[in-house]
Amino acid sequence: YFYQDYRKIPLDMYYLKRLVRTVSMRHSAISLIFLIVGTLILSGCAYFNTFYNAQNYFRTAEEEIAKKATGEELSKQAEEALDKTIVNCNIVLEDFPESKLRDDALFLSAKSYYYRGEFSTAKKRLLRLKREHPASPFLEEAYLWLSRCKWKLGETEAAQNDLQALSESLDKERGNRVQHVQVAITLGEIYIELGDRSEAVVQLRKAVNLSKDSILKGQLLLRSGELLLQINQPEKALATYQEALKVSSESDHLNTANLEVVRILRLLEKW
């Protein structure tokens, strides 16, 4: 219609209609671009927010786990936080396959499964992380968690070998100090389980020397003192508890260390 009658239309009206049509087409194209960009932005925000929530839930779970005594079951709050961490990580993995946070989600969910006692599932997640993301910055720490999974699944010798190799590597490369502390603590826990308290003390001492966390150092010294008493080395235990008094600022640690110092002094007839 427009092209058939254009000669009958006044010249100014002809160009006006042409301009309107051109502007309309441009407006549609721009709207489409904005729609695509907006969708991509919303998608990116969605998976980022989902993983952000997972991180917050995991942080809550770790705070609760830090409060529990050795051998004590997880609190209800910790279990719920771990469940929510896993759910949010799985959303990232399943609904956003191209997300840059996939290795983050795999690693965080693996740690959550470990804390829940689902060691086999945690191990599978860690192996998947290694397979799908060979350049992930989480790989070094993932080796530690994989060793822990092996230990809990009864592969104790393999776990020990892996941890020793990781410890030697960190020694040579002067790697991540926090990671090195955790390797020593895990080896110490394994030796305690195997009944080798002397070697456990060696590993816990290594962790104390490496750590810069005064509260953690206090915990490790108290545990070491307990082990030293069990292998009939009260003098070393006394020195260890006295060190805990100097190192830790945690009131519970100070109370426990003071009581043990008094008890050992009486035992040694030095009180």
Side-chain angles (χ1 to χ4, degrees), residues 207-223:
V208 168
N209 294 341
L210 286 166
S211 179
K212 292 186 176 181
D213 183 333
S214 63
I215 294 177
L216 177 59
K217 287 165 80 79
Q219 290 175 333
L220 295 172
L221 288 166
L222 292 179
R223 188 74 176 105

Side-chain angles (χ1 to χ4, degrees), residues 161-181:
N161 292 337
D162 290 349
L163 288 166
Q164 291 287 5
L166 183 55
S167 180
E168 289 170 10
S169 173
L170 289 167
D171 277 335
K172 290 178 183 176
E173 299 173 9
R174 296 188 178 181
N176 187 310
R177 181 182 289 267
V178 174
Q179 172 90 346
H180 209 165
V181 169

Side-chain angles (χ1 to χ4, degrees), residues 26-40:
R26 286 180 180 172
H27 178 72
S28 298
I30 292 170
S31 297
L32 180 60
I33 291 170
F34 274 116
L35 178 62
I36 293 170
V37 171
T39 301
L40 291 173

Side-chain angles (χ1 to χ4, degrees), residues 187-229:
L187 278 168
E189 290 173 346
I190 291 174
Y191 283 117
I192 290 171
E193 185 180 273
L194 293 173
D196 190 344
R197 294 179 178 84
S198 296
E199 188 56 37
V201 170
V202 170
Q203 293 298 329
L204 295 183
R205 167 52 63 181
K206 184 175 184 179
V208 168
N209 294 341
L210 286 166
S211 179
K212 292 186 176 181
D213 183 333
S214 63
I215 294 177
L216 177 59
K217 287 165 80 79
Q219 290 175 333
L220 295 172
L221 288 166
L222 292 179
R223 188 74 176 105
S224 297
E226 181 184 348
L227 293 169
L228 287 164
L229 285 174

Side-chain angles (χ1 to χ4, degrees), residues 90 93 106 109-110 113 121-129:
N90 286 343
L93 293 170
L106 282 169
S109 61
Y113 279 121
T121 304
K123 182 180 178 181
K124 289 176 183 176
R125 284 284 166 109
L126 292 166
L127 291 173
R128 182 178 168 188
L129 172 65

Side-chain angles (χ1 to χ4, degrees), residues 28-211:
S28 298
I30 292 170
S31 297
L32 180 60
I33 291 170
F34 274 116
L35 178 62
I36 293 170
V37 171
T39 301
L40 291 173
I41 291 172
L42 288 174
S43 176
C45 289
Y47 80 72
F48 180 82
N49 287 337
T50 301
F51 185 71
Y52 176 78
N53 291 334
Q55 286 180 309
N56 284 336
Y57 288 129
F58 186 75
R59 195 174 297 115
T60 299
E62 283 201 311
E63 289 171 359
E64 285 295 308
I65 291 167
K67 296 175 186 176
K68 80 180 188 72
T70 303
E72 192 176 51
E73 291 186 358
L74 289 174
S75 67
K76 185 177 180 181
Q77 187 176 357
E79 286 187 348
E80 289 176 353
L82 290 172
D83 286 342
K84 290 176 180 178
T85 302
I86 291 168
V87 167
N88 280 274
C89 285
N90 286 343
I91 290 172
V92 173
L93 293 170
E94 294 167 10
D95 295 353
F96 304 99
E98 303 304 319
S99 165
K100 293 181 180 180
L101 295 174
R102 284 182 63 80
D103 58 335
D104 301 69
L106 282 169
F107 188 45
L108 196 63
S109 61
K111 292 191 288 185
S112 299
Y113 279 121
Y114 178 90
Y115 282 134
R116 282 192 54 80
E118 298 178 44
F119 306 119
S120 181
T121 304
K123 182 180 178 181
K124 289 176 183 176
R125 284 284 166 109
L126 292 166
L127 291 173
R128 182 178 168 188
L129 172 65
K130 288 175 62 181
R131 183 176 64 254
E132 295 181 6
H133 302 276
S136 172
F138 303 114
L139 281 188
E140 187 176 82
E141 192 178 350
Y143 283 116
L144 166 61
W145 287 88
L146 187 56
S147 299
R148 286 173 170 168
C149 289
K150 289 179 180 179
W151 167 40
K152 293 297 185 179
L153 291 168
E155 304 168 41
T156 307
E157 187 176 350
Q160 280 181 284
N161 292 337
D162 290 349
L163 288 166
Q164 291 287 5
L166 183 55
S167 180
E168 289 170 10
S169 173
L170 289 167
D171 277 335
K172 290 178 183 176
E173 299 173 9
R174 296 188 178 181
N176 187 310
R177 181 182 289 267
V178 174
Q179 172 90 346
H180 209 165
V181 169
Q182 291 302 315
V183 169
I185 291 173
T186 305
L187 278 168
E189 290 173 346
I190 291 174
Y191 283 117
I192 290 171
E193 185 180 273
L194 293 173
D196 190 344
R197 294 179 178 84
S198 296
E199 188 56 37
V201 170
V202 170
Q203 293 298 329
L204 295 183
R205 167 52 63 181
K206 184 175 184 179
V208 168
N209 294 341
L210 286 166
S211 179

